[in-house]
Amino acid sequence: MSIPAQPRFVVEKHGPGAYYVFDTATGVSRHPSFTRRAAQKIADRKNAEQPAKEGR
């Protein structure tokens, strides 16, 4: 069995009501959001975009 790949963009909590999308490849936190759900939507969108950019 193979281990599933980890997503590049993940959500990090930086305080009460402060969530950021963390890029595991560069180590940079971006896209601040007030809710985890909003940050997760951004991370999901960024992860979906990633394979398309790598295939060029």
Side-chain angles (χ1 to χ4, degrees):
M1 294 182 84
S2 64
I3 299 171
Q6 295 293 325
R8 176 175 172 181
F9 296 95
V10 295
V11 176
E12 281 193 335
K13 184 173 183 176
H14 284 265
Y19 296 89
Y20 288 85
V21 177
F22 180 70
D23 184 348
T24 57
T26 62
V28 177
S29 293
R30 298 183 182 164
H31 308 290
S33 298
F34 291 112
T35 64
R36 178 168 176 73
R37 183 176 179 188
Q40 188 63 56
K41 287 174 79 173
I42 295 168
D44 291 344
R45 186 181 73 235
K46 294 298 234 175
N47 284 323
E49 291 173 357
Q50 204 53 34
K53 289 182 180 179
E54 291 174 356
R56 286 186 194 176

